[in-house]
Amino acid sequence: MKAIVVTDEAAGTAGMTLMERPDPEPALNDVVVQVHASGFVPTELAWPSTWTDRLGRDRRPSIPGHELAGVVSALGYGTTGLSVGQRVFGLTDWTRDGTLAECVAVEARNLAPLPGDVDFAVGASLPISGLTAWQGLFEHGRLRTGQSVLVHGAAGAVGSMVTQLAREFGAYVIGTGRAADRQTALDFGAHEFVDLGSEALEDVGGVDLVFDVIGGDIGKRSAGLIRAGGTLVSVVGPSEARPAHGLAIDFVVMPDRAQLDEIVQRVRGGRLRTNIGNVADLDDAVAALNPTKRVTGKTIIRARS
């Protein structure tokens, strides 16, 4: 099969190569999925799990990518809950070969059925962004109706999901980002927008929840905005500062079939819009994942038309 492969950790996305790799074999409780579309998070090339397996052994050459939408083509021994020919989407294991390929082996429990009226590209754009937003807001942030949420990177793939879900659940949403992102963030449902380049973050005042996808100085300053009993939720590692009278939580997104179903049903009903910035074929994936200009939203790679 064709796949995008990485071998040089220091090279980043510039070290990606399209090459032939052996077709995957399904292990116990696995399925093999014919990948129709795949998502990719550039920071994963800095994750240790991209380069080593669960036992810490070097697993290069590695196939990156962990979001997919496709069709089940084979079942491993003992696999239940899915069937050959079924449309699925979901999140693959961090320490195994990923989804920037024509086929991938993945644990069946990590996948959810993809309704026939949802395009594969849309399905592939949802797992990391949607699950990160859902888990950050509701599991870790304990969002309640009427609370205020500050969403960093509100025009991005994750931030736009956070904004929409928080708005749906009755929160007052303040988005942040670059000046050029203002209208996009507002279109996704932010009530207000703070230009981090020219406006003072501290002018926001107190909020109940900060959802941080930026970290660094922005994350540190955000801790001072948390009201008593509030939460600073980070997906970029532990915050350098903690709220004086609240919680600071950093987390890694986990697969969850029930949550994937909640997310895709909102897409079907028009309550949730995905944020796709670019779509490219697998043959053109290396160029698409090394853009010469900024792309807002997620880049999706199609392995099949």
Side-chain angles (χ1 to χ4, degrees), residues 22-266:
D23 289 345
E25 295 291 336
L28 184 71
N29 297 322
D30 273 357
V31 297
V32 173
V33 179
Q34 290 183 340
V35 179
H36 282 249
S38 171
F40 174 72
V41 178
T43 55
E44 71 180 68
L45 296 186
W47 303 345
S49 57
T50 298
W51 309 102
T52 59
D53 65 15
R54 290 183 183 276
L55 298 177
R57 299 172 300 195
D58 192 318
R59 64 181 188 87
R60 287 175 282 189
S62 303
I63 300 173
H66 295 286
E67 299 172 283
L68 83 154
V71 175
V72 176
S73 61
L75 305 179
Y77 182 79
T79 298
T80 59
L82 297 175
S83 57
V84 172
Q86 186 171 8
R87 299 172 96 248
V88 293
F89 75 118
L91 186 63
T92 67
D93 192 301
W94 307 123
T95 58
R96 298 172 67 183
D97 277 343
T99 61
L100 290 176
E102 292 180 314
C103 294
V104 64
V106 55
E107 286 189 76
R109 65 180 179 175
N110 291 3
L111 303 174
L114 181 68
D117 56 355
V118 177
D119 184 79
F120 286 116
V122 172
S125 73
L126 295 173
I128 288 181
S129 300
L131 290 174
T132 298
W134 190 280
Q135 292 168 18
L137 285 173
F138 307 129
E139 291 186 1
H140 304 293
R142 301 163 298 157
L143 180 68
R144 298 190 302 275
T145 300
Q147 290 189 321
S148 55
V149 180
L150 179 67
V151 183
H152 290 311
V158 173
S160 59
M161 289 282 180
V162 175
T163 297
Q164 292 174 88
L165 288 172
R167 177 89 183 232
E168 178 189 348
F169 278 78
Y172 185 85
V173 182
I174 305 165
T176 80
R178 306 184 188 195
D181 296 333
R182 181 184 299 272
Q183 193 56 53
T184 299
L186 295 174
D187 290 344
F188 275 111
H191 294 89
E192 298 179 32
F193 182 82
V194 177
D195 172 8
L196 294 176
S198 65
E199 298 174 333
L201 180 61
E202 288 71 19
D203 287 348
V204 166
V207 295
D208 298 296
L209 174 64
V210 171
F211 202 115
D212 183 22
V213 301
I214 298 176
D217 181 62
I218 294 297
K220 186 176 181 180
R221 291 161 60 193
S222 296
L225 303 177
I226 300 295
R227 291 174 179 152
T231 308
L232 170 60
V233 174
S234 170
V235 296
V236 289
S239 174
E240 295 180 29
R242 304 183 66 85
H245 302 289
L247 298 175
I249 297 173
D250 65 283
F251 75 101
V252 175
V253 65
M254 299 293 290
D256 190 296
R257 181 179 290 177
Q259 292 173 6
L260 285 171
D261 188 62
E262 289 275 7
I263 291 161
V264 80
Q265 294 306 325
R266 283 170 168 76

